[in-house]
Amino acid sequence: ACTDNTGSFSCACNAGWTGSGITCFDVVECSLDTDNCNANAQCANNDGSFLCSCNAGWTGSGVACDNVNECTAGLHNC
């Protein structure tokens, strides 16, 4: 991102990126543990951001995950 200053300018990396503003590198939120994924979800890094997805047996956005009741949902072979 470029910011105009009196007689000059400055550069800064956008959110999800780090560096000088001239050179920017992706922040790997999953490895740095700066994501907001639920304890029952997986984090997947992508350019400038990350995605959360609930683990098997759980449902939701990945930020919030609720247990799937396989018995009442008919997802069993009892």
Side-chain angles (χ1 to χ4, degrees):
C2 180
T3 302
D4 187 45
N5 300 320
T6 305
S8 187
F9 65 93
S10 62
C11 300
C13 297
N14 293 328
W17 299 86
T18 187
S20 66
I22 305 296
T23 304
C24 297
F25 304 94
D26 179 41
V27 174
V28 184
E29 294 87 355
C30 301
S31 295
L32 296 173
D33 203 25
T34 58
D35 63 84
N36 62 344
C37 298
N38 187 276
N40 296 300
Q42 295 297 312
C43 181
N45 188 65
N46 59 33
D47 285 344
S49 191
F50 61 93
L51 295 172
C52 302
S53 56
C54 296
N55 296 332
W58 298 84
T59 186
S61 66
V63 174
C65 296
D66 295 312
N67 182 45
V68 173
N69 186 328
E70 292 82 2
C71 298
T72 59
L75 302 172
H76 58 85
N77 60 355
C78 297

